[in-house]
Coordinates of all heavy atoms in Angstrom, one line a residue:
F1 N -15.7 -20.2 7.0 CA -14.8 -19.1 6.9 C -13.5 -19.4 7.7 O -13.6 -19.5 8.9 CB -15.4 -17.8 7.4 CG -14.8 -16.6 6.9 CD1 -15.2 -16.1 5.7 CD2 -13.7 -15.9 7.6 CE1 -14.7 -14.9 5.2 CE2 -13.2 -14.8 7.1 CZ -13.6 -14.2 5.9
P2 N -12.4 -19.8 7.0 CA -11.2 -20.2 7.7 C -10.7 -19.2 8.7 O -10.9 -18.0 8.5 CB -10.2 -20.4 6.7 CG -11.0 -20.6 5.4 CD -12.2 -19.8 5.6
S3 N -10.1 -19.7 9.7 CA -9.4 -18.8 10.7 C -8.3 -19.6 11.3 O -8.1 -20.7 10.9 CB -10.4 -18.4 11.8 OG -10.8 -19.5 12.6
H4 N -7.5 -19.0 12.2 CA -6.5 -19.8 12.9 C -6.8 -19.5 14.3 O -7.6 -18.7 14.7 CB -5.1 -19.4 12.4 CG -4.9 -17.9 12.4 ND1 -4.5 -17.2 13.6 CD2 -5.0 -16.9 11.5 CE1 -4.4 -15.9 13.3 NE2 -4.7 -15.7 12.1
D5 N -6.0 -20.2 15.2 CA -6.3 -20.2 16.6 C -6.2 -18.8 17.2 O -6.9 -18.6 18.2 CB -5.4 -21.1 17.3 CG -5.6 -22.6 17.0 OD1 -6.7 -22.9 16.6 OD2 -4.7 -23.4 17.3
M6 N -5.5 -17.9 16.6 CA -5.4 -16.6 17.2 C -6.4 -15.6 16.8 O -6.6 -14.5 17.3 CB -4.0 -16.0 16.9 CG -2.8 -16.8 17.5 SD -1.2 -16.0 17.2 CE -1.1 -16.0 15.5
Y7 N -7.3 -16.0 15.8 CA -8.2 -15.1 15.2 C -9.5 -15.9 14.9 O -9.6 -16.5 13.8 CB -7.7 -14.4 14.0 CG -8.2 -13.0 13.7 CD1 -7.8 -11.9 14.4 CD2 -9.3 -12.9 12.8 CE1 -8.4 -10.6 14.2 CE2 -9.8 -11.6 12.5 CZ -9.3 -10.5 13.2 OH -9.8 -9.3 13.1
P8 N -10.6 -15.8 15.7 CA -11.8 -16.6 15.3 C -12.5 -16.1 14.1 O -12.4 -15.0 13.7 CB -12.6 -16.3 16.6 CG -12.1 -15.1 17.2 CD -10.6 -15.0 16.9
A9 N -13.1 -17.0 13.5 CA -13.7 -16.7 12.1 C -14.9 -15.9 12.1 O -15.1 -15.0 11.2 CB -14.0 -18.1 11.4
L10 N -15.8 -16.0 13.0 CA -17.1 -15.3 12.9 C -16.9 -13.7 12.9 O -17.5 -13.2 12.0 CB -18.0 -15.8 14.1 CG -19.5 -15.2 14.0 CD1 -20.0 -15.7 12.6 CD2 -20.2 -15.8 15.1
P11 N -16.3 -13.2 13.8 CA -16.2 -11.7 13.7 C -15.4 -11.2 12.5 O -15.8 -10.2 11.9 CB -15.4 -11.2 15.0 CG -15.5 -12.5 15.9 CD -15.7 -13.7 15.0
L12 N -14.5 -12.0 12.0 CA -13.7 -11.7 10.9 C -14.5 -11.8 9.7 O -14.5 -10.9 8.8 CB -12.5 -12.7 10.7 CG -11.7 -12.5 9.5 CD1 -11.0 -11.1 9.4 CD2 -10.6 -13.6 9.4
A13 N -15.4 -12.7 9.5 CA -16.3 -12.8 8.4 C -17.2 -11.7 8.3 O -17.4 -11.1 7.2 CB -17.1 -14.2 8.5
R14 N -17.8 -11.2 9.4 CA -18.6 -10.1 9.4 C -18.0 -8.8 9.0 O -18.4 -8.0 8.2 CB -19.3 -9.9 10.8 CG -20.5 -9.0 10.9 CD -21.2 -9.0 12.2 NE -20.4 -9.3 13.4 CZ -20.4 -10.4 14.1 NH1 -21.2 -11.4 13.7 NH2 -19.7 -10.6 15.1
Q15 N -16.7 -8.6 9.6 CA -16.0 -7.4 9.2 C -15.6 -7.4 7.7 O -15.6 -6.4 7.1 CB -14.7 -7.4 10.1 CG -15.1 -7.0 11.5 CD -13.8 -7.1 12.4 OE1 -12.8 -7.5 12.1 NE2 -14.0 -6.6 13.6
H16 N -15.2 -8.6 7.3 CA -14.9 -8.7 5.9 C -15.9 -8.4 4.9 O -15.8 -7.8 3.9 CB -14.3 -10.1 5.6 CG -13.6 -10.3 4.2 ND1 -12.5 -9.6 3.9 CD2 -14.0 -11.0 3.2 CE1 -12.2 -9.9 2.6 NE2 -13.1 -10.8 2.2
A17 N -17.1 -8.9 5.2 CA -18.3 -8.6 4.4 C -18.6 -7.1 4.3 O -18.9 -6.6 3.3 CB -19.6 -9.4 4.9
D18 N -18.5 -6.4 5.5 CA -18.6 -5.0 5.5 C -17.6 -4.3 4.7 O -17.9 -3.3 4.0 CB -18.6 -4.4 6.9 CG -19.7 -4.9 7.9 OD1 -20.8 -5.2 7.2 OD2 -19.6 -4.8 9.1
F19 N -16.3 -4.7 4.8 CA -15.2 -4.2 4.0 C -15.5 -4.3 2.5 O -15.4 -3.4 1.8 CB -13.9 -4.8 4.4 CG -12.8 -4.5 3.5 CD1 -12.2 -3.2 3.6 CD2 -12.3 -5.4 2.6 CE1 -11.1 -2.9 2.8 CE2 -11.2 -5.1 1.8 CZ -10.6 -3.8 1.9
L20 N -16.0 -5.5 2.1 CA -16.3 -5.7 0.7 C -17.3 -4.8 0.1 O -17.3 -4.3 -1.0 CB -16.5 -7.2 0.4 CG -15.4 -8.2 0.6 CD1 -15.8 -9.6 0.4 CD2 -14.2 -7.8 -0.3
R21 N -18.4 -4.6 1.0 CA -19.5 -3.7 0.6 C -19.0 -2.3 0.4 O -19.4 -1.6 -0.5 CB -20.6 -3.8 1.6 CG -21.6 -4.9 1.4 CD -22.9 -4.8 2.3 NE -22.5 -4.9 3.7 CZ -22.4 -6.0 4.3 NH1 -22.5 -7.1 3.7 NH2 -22.2 -6.0 5.6
Y22 N -18.0 -1.9 1.2 CA -17.5 -0.6 1.1 C -16.6 -0.4 0.0 O -16.5 0.6 -0.8 CB -16.7 -0.3 2.4 CG -15.8 0.9 2.3 CD1 -16.4 2.2 2.5 CD2 -14.4 0.9 2.1 CE1 -15.6 3.4 2.4 CE2 -13.7 2.0 2.0 CZ -14.2 3.3 2.2 OH -13.5 4.4 2.1
L23 N -15.8 -1.5 -0.4 CA -14.8 -1.5 -1.4 C -15.4 -1.6 -2.8 O -14.9 -1.1 -3.8 CB -13.8 -2.6 -1.2 CG -12.5 -2.7 -2.1 CD1 -11.7 -1.4 -1.9 CD2 -11.7 -3.9 -1.6
E24 N -16.5 -2.4 -2.9 CA -17.1 -2.7 -4.3 C -17.3 -1.5 -5.1 O -16.9 -1.5 -6.3 CB -18.3 -3.4 -4.1 CG -19.0 -3.8 -5.4 CD -18.1 -4.6 -6.3 OE1 -17.3 -5.4 -5.9 OE2 -18.2 -4.3 -7.6
P25 N -17.8 -0.3 -4.7 CA -18.0 0.8 -5.5 C -16.7 1.4 -6.1 O -16.6 1.8 -7.2 CB -18.8 1.9 -4.7 CG -19.3 1.1 -3.5 CD -18.5 -0.2 -3.4
V26 N -15.7 1.4 -5.3 CA -14.4 1.8 -5.7 C -13.8 0.9 -6.7 O -13.3 1.4 -7.8 CB -13.4 2.0 -4.5 CG1 -12.0 2.3 -4.9 CG2 -13.9 2.9 -3.4
L27 N -13.9 -0.3 -6.6 CA -13.4 -1.3 -7.5 C -14.1 -1.2 -8.9 O -13.5 -1.2 -9.9 CB -13.5 -2.7 -7.0 CG -12.7 -3.1 -5.8 CD1 -13.1 -4.5 -5.3 CD2 -11.3 -3.0 -6.1
S28 N -15.4 -1.0 -8.8 CA -16.2 -0.9 -10.0 C -15.9 0.4 -10.7 O -15.8 0.5 -12.0 CB -17.7 -0.9 -9.7 OG -18.1 -2.1 -9.2
K29 N -15.8 1.4 -10.0 CA -15.5 2.8 -10.6 C -14.1 2.8 -11.4 O -14.1 3.4 -12.4 CB -15.4 3.8 -9.5 CG -15.1 5.2 -10.0 CD -15.0 6.2 -8.9 CE -14.6 7.6 -9.4 NZ -14.6 8.6 -8.3
H30 N -13.2 2.0 -10.8 CA -11.8 2.1 -11.4 C -11.6 0.8 -12.2 O -10.4 0.6 -12.6 CB -10.8 2.3 -10.3 CG -10.9 3.6 -9.7 ND1 -10.6 4.8 -10.3 CD2 -11.4 4.0 -8.4 CE1 -10.8 5.8 -9.5 NE2 -11.4 5.3 -8.4
N31 N -12.6 0.0 -12.4 CA -12.4 -1.3 -13.1 C -11.2 -2.1 -12.6 O -10.4 -2.6 -13.4 CB -12.3 -1.0 -14.7 CG -12.4 -2.3 -15.5 OD1 -13.2 -3.2 -15.1 ND2 -11.8 -2.3 -16.6
C32 N -11.2 -2.3 -11.3 CA -10.1 -3.1 -10.6 C -10.7 -4.4 -10.1 O -11.8 -4.5 -9.7 CB -9.6 -2.2 -9.5 SG -8.7 -0.8 -9.9
R33 N -9.8 -5.4 -10.2 CA -10.2 -6.6 -9.7 C -9.5 -6.8 -8.3 O -8.4 -6.3 -8.0 CB -9.6 -7.8 -10.5 CG -9.8 -9.1 -10.0 CD -9.5 -10.2 -11.0 NE -9.6 -11.5 -10.4 CZ -8.6 -12.4 -10.3 NH1 -7.5 -12.2 -11.0 NH2 -8.7 -13.5 -9.7
Y34 N -10.3 -7.3 -7.4 CA -9.9 -7.5 -6.0 C -9.5 -9.0 -5.7 O -10.4 -9.8 -6.0 CB -11.0 -7.1 -5.0 CG -10.7 -7.3 -3.5 CD1 -9.6 -6.6 -2.9 CD2 -11.4 -8.2 -2.8 CE1 -9.3 -6.8 -1.6 CE2 -11.1 -8.3 -1.5 CZ -10.0 -7.7 -0.8 OH -9.8 -7.9 0.5
L35 N -8.3 -9.2 -5.5 CA -7.9 -10.6 -5.2 C -8.1 -10.9 -3.7 O -7.4 -10.4 -2.8 CB -6.4 -10.8 -5.5 CG -6.0 -10.6 -6.9 CD1 -4.5 -10.6 -7.1 CD2 -6.7 -11.5 -7.9
D36 N -9.1 -11.7 -3.4 CA -9.5 -12.0 -2.1 C -9.0 -13.4 -1.6 O -9.7 -14.4 -2.1 CB -11.0 -11.9 -2.0 CG -11.5 -11.9 -0.5 OD1 -10.7 -12.2 0.4 OD2 -12.7 -11.7 -0.3
F37 N -8.0 -13.5 -0.9 CA -7.5 -14.8 -0.4 C -8.0 -15.1 1.0 O -7.5 -15.9 1.7 CB -6.0 -14.8 -0.4 CG -5.4 -14.6 -1.8 CD1 -4.7 -13.4 -2.1 CD2 -5.6 -15.6 -2.7 CE1 -4.1 -13.3 -3.4 CE2 -5.1 -15.4 -4.0 CZ -4.4 -14.3 -4.3
T38 N -9.0 -14.3 1.5 CA -9.4 -14.5 2.9 C -9.9 -15.9 3.2 O -9.6 -16.4 4.3 CB -10.6 -13.5 3.1 OG1 -10.2 -12.2 2.8 CG2 -11.1 -13.5 4.6
E39 N -10.6 -16.5 2.3 CA -11.1 -17.8 2.6 C -10.2 -19.0 2.2 O -10.6 -20.1 2.1 CB -12.5 -18.0 1.9 CG -13.5 -17.1 2.5 CD -14.9 -17.3 1.9 OE1 -15.2 -18.4 1.6 OE2 -15.6 -16.3 1.8
N40 N -8.9 -18.7 1.9 CA -7.9 -19.7 1.6 C -7.6 -20.6 2.7 O -7.0 -20.1 3.7 CB -6.7 -19.1 1.0 CG -5.8 -20.1 0.4 OD1 -5.3 -21.0 1.1 ND2 -5.4 -19.9 -0.9
A41 N -8.0 -21.9 2.7 CA -7.8 -22.8 3.8 C -6.3 -23.1 4.1 O -6.1 -23.7 5.2 CB -8.6 -24.0 3.5
E42 N -5.5 -22.7 3.2 CA -4.1 -23.0 3.4 C -3.4 -22.1 4.6 O -2.4 -22.3 5.0 CB -3.2 -22.8 2.1 CG -3.5 -23.8 1.1 CD -2.6 -23.7 -0.1 OE1 -1.4 -23.5 0.1 OE2 -3.1 -23.8 -1.2
F43 N -4.2 -21.1 5.0 CA -3.7 -20.2 6.0 C -4.5 -20.2 7.3 O -4.8 -19.2 7.8 CB -3.7 -18.7 5.3 CG -2.6 -18.6 4.3 CD1 -3.0 -18.8 3.0 CD2 -1.4 -18.2 4.6 CE1 -1.9 -18.7 2.0 CE2 -0.4 -18.1 3.7 CZ -0.6 -18.3 2.4
T44 N -4.7 -21.5 7.7 CA -5.5 -21.6 8.9 C -4.5 -22.1 10.0 O -4.9 -22.2 11.2 CB -6.6 -22.7 8.8 OG1 -6.0 -23.9 8.3 CG2 -7.6 -22.2 7.8
D45 N -3.3 -22.3 9.7 CA -2.2 -22.8 10.6 C -1.6 -21.6 11.3 O -1.0 -20.8 10.7 CB -1.1 -23.5 9.9 CG -0.1 -24.2 10.8 OD1 0.0 -23.8 12.0 OD2 0.7 -25.0 10.3
F46 N -1.8 -21.5 12.6 CA -1.3 -20.4 13.4 C 0.2 -20.2 13.3 O 0.8 -19.1 13.5 CB -1.8 -20.4 14.9 CG -1.0 -21.5 15.7 CD1 0.1 -21.1 16.3 CD2 -1.5 -22.8 15.8 CE1 0.8 -22.0 17.1 CE2 -0.7 -23.7 16.5 CZ 0.4 -23.3 17.1
R47 N 0.9 -21.3 12.9 CA 2.4 -21.2 12.8 C 2.8 -20.3 11.7 O 4.0 -20.0 11.5 CB 3.0 -22.6 12.8 CG 2.8 -23.4 14.0 CD 3.2 -24.8 13.9 NE 2.3 -25.5 12.9 CZ 2.2 -26.7 12.6 NH1 3.1 -27.6 13.2 NH2 1.3 -27.2 11.8
L48 N 1.9 -20.0 10.8 CA 2.2 -19.1 9.7 C 2.1 -17.6 10.0 O 2.4 -16.7 9.2 CB 1.3 -19.3 8.5 CG 1.4 -20.8 7.9 CD1 0.4 -20.9 6.8 CD2 2.8 -21.1 7.3
F49 N 1.7 -17.3 11.2 CA 1.4 -15.9 11.6 C 2.3 -15.5 12.8 O 2.7 -16.3 13.7 CB 0.0 -15.9 12.2 CG -1.1 -16.0 11.0 CD1 -1.4 -17.3 10.6 CD2 -1.6 -14.9 10.4 CE1 -2.3 -17.4 9.5 CE2 -2.4 -15.0 9.3 CZ -2.9 -16.3 8.9
S50 N 2.7 -14.2 12.8 CA 3.4 -13.6 13.8 C 2.5 -13.1 14.9 O 2.9 -13.2 16.1 CB 4.2 -12.3 13.4 OG 5.2 -12.7 12.4
D51 N 1.3 -12.7 14.5 CA 0.3 -12.3 15.5 C -1.0 -12.5 14.7 O -1.1 -13.1 13.6 CB 0.5 -10.9 16.0 CG 0.4 -9.8 14.8 OD1 -0.4 -10.0 13.9 OD2 1.0 -8.7 15.0
A52 N -2.1 -12.1 15.3 CA -3.4 -12.4 14.8 C -3.7 -11.9 13.3 O -4.4 -12.4 12.6 CB -4.6 -11.8 15.6
N53 N -2.9 -10.8 12.9 CA -3.1 -10.2 11.7 C -2.0 -10.2 10.7 O -2.2 -9.7 9.5 CB -3.6 -8.7 11.8 CG -4.8 -8.6 12.6 OD1 -5.8 -9.2 12.3 ND2 -4.8 -7.9 13.8
H54 N -0.8 -10.7 11.1 CA 0.4 -10.6 10.2 C 1.0 -12.0 10.0 O 1.3 -12.7 11.0 CB 1.4 -9.6 10.8 CG 0.8 -8.3 11.0 ND1 0.2 -7.8 12.2 CD2 0.7 -7.2 10.1 CE1 -0.3 -6.6 12.0 NE2 0.0 -6.2 10.7
L55 N 1.3 -12.3 8.8 CA 2.1 -13.4 8.5 C 3.5 -13.3 8.9 O 4.1 -12.2 8.9 CB 2.1 -13.8 7.0 CG 0.7 -14.0 6.3 CD1 0.8 -14.0 4.8 CD2 0.3 -15.4 6.8
N56 N 4.1 -14.5 9.3 CA 5.6 -14.4 9.6 C 6.3 -14.7 8.4 O 5.7 -14.8 7.2 CB 5.9 -15.4 10.7 CG 5.6 -16.9 10.4 OD1 5.5 -17.3 9.2 ND2 5.3 -17.7 11.4
F57 N 7.6 -14.9 8.4 CA 8.4 -15.1 7.2 C 8.0 -16.3 6.4 O 7.8 -16.2 5.2 CB 9.9 -15.2 7.6 CG 10.8 -15.3 6.4 CD1 11.2 -14.2 5.7 CD2 11.3 -16.6 6.0 CE1 12.1 -14.4 4.6 CE2 12.1 -16.7 5.0 CZ 12.5 -15.6 4.2
I58 N 7.7 -17.3 7.1 CA 7.3 -18.6 6.3 C 5.9 -18.4 5.7 O 5.7 -18.7 4.5 CB 7.3 -19.8 7.2 CG1 8.7 -20.1 7.7 CG2 6.6 -21.0 6.6 CD1 8.8 -21.1 8.9
G59 N 5.0 -17.7 6.4 CA 3.7 -17.5 5.9 C 3.7 -16.5 4.8 O 3.0 -16.7 3.8
A60 N 4.6 -15.5 4.8 CA 4.7 -14.5 3.8 C 5.3 -15.1 2.5 O 4.9 -14.9 1.4 CB 5.6 -13.4 4.2
E61 N 6.3 -16.0 2.7 CA 6.8 -16.7 1.5 C 5.7 -17.6 0.9 O 5.6 -17.6 -0.4 CB 8.0 -17.7 1.9 CG 9.2 -16.9 2.1 CD 10.4 -17.9 2.4 OE1 10.2 -19.0 3.0 OE2 11.5 -17.6 1.9
K62 N 4.9 -18.3 1.6 CA 3.9 -19.1 1.1 C 2.8 -18.2 0.4 O 2.4 -18.5 -0.7 CB 3.2 -19.9 2.2 CG 2.1 -20.9 1.8 CD 1.6 -21.7 3.0 CE 0.6 -22.7 2.5 NZ 0.3 -23.7 3.5
F63 N 2.4 -17.2 1.0 CA 1.5 -16.2 0.4 C 2.0 -15.6 -0.9 O 1.3 -15.6 -1.9 CB 1.1 -15.1 1.3 CG 0.2 -14.1 0.7 CD1 -1.1 -14.3 0.7 CD2 0.7 -12.9 0.2 CE1 -2.0 -13.4 0.1 CE2 -0.2 -12.0 -0.4 CZ -1.5 -12.2 -0.5
N64 N 3.3 -15.2 -0.9 CA 3.9 -14.7 -2.2 C 3.8 -15.6 -3.3 O 3.6 -15.3 -4.4 CB 5.3 -14.2 -1.9 CG 5.3 -12.9 -1.1 OD1 4.3 -12.3 -1.0 ND2 6.5 -12.7 -0.4
R65 N 4.1 -17.0 -3.0 CA 4.1 -18.0 -4.0 C 2.7 -18.1 -4.6 O 2.4 -18.2 -5.8 CB 4.6 -19.3 -3.5 CG 6.1 -19.4 -3.4 CD 6.5 -20.9 -3.1 NE 5.9 -21.4 -1.9 CZ 6.4 -21.3 -0.6 NH1 7.6 -20.7 -0.4 NH2 5.9 -21.9 0.3
M66 N 1.6 -18.1 -3.7 CA 0.3 -18.2 -4.1 C -0.1 -17.0 -5.0 O -0.8 -17.1 -6.0 CB -0.6 -18.4 -2.9 CG -2.0 -18.5 -3.2 SD -3.1 -18.6 -1.8 CE -2.8 -17.0 -1.1
L67 N 0.3 -15.8 -4.5 CA -0.1 -14.6 -5.3 C 0.6 -14.5 -6.6 O -0.1 -14.2 -7.6 CB 0.4 -13.3 -4.5 CG 0.2 -11.9 -5.1 CD1 -1.2 -11.7 -5.4 CD2 0.8 -10.9 -4.3
I68 N 1.8 -14.9 -6.8 CA 2.5 -14.9 -8.0 C 1.9 -15.9 -9.0 O 1.6 -15.6 -10.2 CB 4.0 -15.2 -7.9 CG1 4.7 -14.0 -7.2 CG2 4.7 -15.5 -9.2 CD1 6.1 -14.3 -6.8
Q69 N 1.5 -17.1 -8.5 CA 0.8 -18.1 -9.2 C -0.6 -17.6 -9.8 O -0.9 -17.7 -10.9 CB 0.6 -19.4 -8.4 CG 0.0 -20.5 -9.3 CD 0.9 -20.9 -10.5 OE1 2.1 -21.1 -10.3 NE2 0.3 -20.9 -11.7
T70 N -1.3 -16.9 -8.9 CA -2.5 -16.3 -9.3 C -2.4 -15.3 -10.3 O -3.1 -15.2 -11.3 CB -3.3 -15.7 -8.0 OG1 -3.4 -16.7 -7.0 CG2 -4.5 -15.0 -8.4
L71 N -1.4 -14.4 -10.2 CA -1.2 -13.4 -11.2 C -0.7 -14.0 -12.5 O -1.1 -13.5 -13.6 CB -0.1 -12.3 -10.7 CG -0.6 -11.5 -9.5 CD1 0.6 -10.7 -9.0 CD2 -1.8 -10.6 -9.9
D72 N 0.1 -15.0 -12.4 CA 0.6 -15.7 -13.7 C -0.6 -16.4 -14.4 O -0.8 -16.2 -15.6 CB 1.6 -16.8 -13.4 CG 3.0 -16.3 -13.4 OD1 3.3 -15.1 -14.0 OD2 3.9 -17.0 -13.1
N73 N -1.5 -17.0 -13.6 CA -2.7 -17.6 -14.2 C -3.6 -16.6 -14.9 O -4.1 -16.7 -16.0 CB -3.5 -18.4 -13.2 CG -2.8 -19.6 -12.7 OD1 -1.8 -20.1 -13.3 ND2 -3.2 -20.1 -11.6
D74 N -3.7 -15.4 -14.2 CA -4.5 -14.3 -14.9 C -3.9 -13.9 -16.1 O -4.6 -13.6 -17.1 CB -4.7 -13.1 -13.9 CG -5.7 -13.3 -12.8 OD1 -6.3 -14.4 -12.8 OD2 -6.0 -12.4 -12.1
A75 N -2.6 -13.8 -16.1 CA -1.9 -13.2 -17.3 C -2.0 -14.2 -18.4 O -2.3 -13.8 -19.6 CB -0.4 -13.1 -17.0
Q76 N -2.0 -15.5 -18.1 CA -2.2 -16.5 -19.2 C -3.6 -16.4 -19.7 O -3.9 -16.5 -20.9 CB -1.9 -17.9 -18.6 CG -0.5 -18.1 -18.4 CD -0.2 -19.5 -17.8 OE1 -1.1 -20.4 -17.8 NE2 1.0 -19.8 -17.4
T77 N -4.6 -16.3 -18.8 CA -6.0 -16.2 -19.2 C -6.3 -15.0 -20.1 O -7.1 -15.1 -21.0 CB -6.8 -16.2 -17.9 OG1 -6.6 -17.4 -17.2 CG2 -8.3 -16.1 -18.2
H78 N -5.6 -13.9 -19.8 CA -5.9 -12.7 -20.5 C -4.9 -12.4 -21.6 O -4.9 -11.3 -22.2 CB -6.0 -11.5 -19.5 CG -7.1 -11.7 -18.5 ND1 -8.4 -12.2 -18.8 CD2 -7.1 -11.5 -17.2 CE1 -9.1 -12.2 -17.7 NE2 -8.4 -11.9 -16.7
G79 N -4.0 -13.3 -21.9 CA -3.1 -13.2 -23.0 C -2.0 -12.1 -22.7 O -1.5 -11.6 -23.7
V80 N -1.6 -12.0 -21.5 CA -0.6 -11.0 -21.2 C 0.7 -11.8 -20.9 O 0.6 -13.0 -20.3 CB -1.0 -10.2 -19.9 CG1 0.1 -9.3 -19.5 CG2 -2.3 -9.5 -20.1
A81 N 1.8 -11.3 -21.1 CA 3.1 -12.0 -20.9 C 3.2 -12.3 -19.3 O 2.7 -11.6 -18.5 CB 4.3 -11.1 -21.3
H82 N 3.9 -13.4 -19.1 CA 4.2 -13.8 -17.7 C 4.9 -12.7 -16.9 O 5.6 -11.9 -17.5 CB 5.0 -15.1 -17.6 CG 4.3 -16.3 -18.1 ND1 3.3 -16.9 -17.3 CD2 4.3 -17.0 -19.2 CE1 2.8 -17.9 -18.0 NE2 3.4 -18.0 -19.1
L83 N 4.7 -12.8 -15.6 CA 5.5 -11.8 -14.8 C 7.0 -12.1 -15.0 O 7.4 -13.2 -15.0 CB 5.1 -12.0 -13.3 CG 3.6 -11.7 -12.9 CD1 3.3 -12.2 -11.6 CD2 3.3 -10.3 -13.2
N84 N 7.7 -11.0 -15.0 CA 9.2 -11.1 -15.1 C 9.7 -11.3 -13.7 O 9.7 -10.4 -12.9 CB 9.8 -9.8 -15.8 CG 11.3 -10.0 -16.0 OD1 11.8 -11.1 -15.8 ND2 11.9 -8.9 -16.4
R85 N 10.2 -12.5 -13.4 CA 10.7 -12.7 -12.0 C 11.7 -13.9 -12.0 O 11.7 -14.6 -13.0 CB 9.6 -13.0 -11.0 CG 9.0 -14.3 -11.3 CD 7.9 -14.6 -10.3 NE 7.4 -15.9 -10.5 CZ 6.6 -16.4 -11.6 NH1 6.3 -15.5 -12.5 NH2 6.2 -17.6 -11.6
E86 N 12.5 -13.9 -11.0 CA 13.4 -15.1 -10.9 C 12.7 -16.3 -10.4 O 11.7 -16.2 -9.7 CB 14.5 -14.8 -9.9 CG 15.4 -13.6 -10.4 CD 16.6 -13.4 -9.3 OE1 16.7 -14.1 -8.3 OE2 17.2 -12.4 -9.5
K87 N 13.0 -17.4 -10.9 CA 12.3 -18.7 -10.5 C 13.1 -19.3 -9.4 O 14.2 -19.2 -9.1 CB 12.2 -19.6 -11.7 CG 11.4 -19.0 -12.8 CD 10.6 -20.0 -13.4 CE 9.7 -19.4 -14.5 NZ 8.5 -19.9 -14.7

């Protein structure tokens, strides 16, 4: 379970598993997909974070690119038009 120097992985993994158990019934009830980037190894560098829980500007830009790519891939997979955004 990836972490960065400001936030150790073990407690985070346990809390995240509890959170997912809580969230699953809500997702199922409303037929929603949960995009979980928690284990993304690209976000283990503490220089991407302002503090233990928040990305800084560079980290947010990197996350946004990854999120947009994920949503675009989903749109292609499910035959939905691409997201309308500036490139």
Side-chain angles (χ1 to χ4, degrees):
F1 203 86
S3 66
H4 51 84
D5 292 341
M6 296 188 296
Y7 207 81
L10 190 56
L12 178 61
R14 190 171 34 251
Q15 290 173 349
H16 187 66
D18 290 343
F19 171 72
L20 291 178
R21 277 192 294 281
Y22 170 80
L23 188 60
E24 179 56 36
V26 176
L27 296 172
S28 294
K29 178 181 178 180
H30 297 286
N31 195 28
C32 292
R33 180 169 170 233
Y34 176 65
L35 300 175
D36 189 355
F37 298 114
T38 306
E39 295 187 30
N40 188 301
E42 291 185 44
F43 290 90
T44 58
D45 184 346
F46 74 93
R47 293 172 293 186
L48 299 174
F49 292 83
S50 293
D51 61 33
N53 298 306
H54 299 94
L55 294 169
N56 61 25
F57 182 79
I58 294 167
E61 282 187 324
K62 184 174 184 170
F63 176 81
N64 288 341
R65 284 190 302 270
M66 182 181 64
L67 176 60
I68 289 168
Q69 184 63 51
T70 299
L71 295 173
D72 267 348
N73 290 345
D74 278 3
Q76 289 177 9
T77 300
H78 300 317
V80 179
H82 290 284
L83 298 173
N84 184 10
R85 67 179 189 289
E86 293 181 9
K87 296 219 178 212

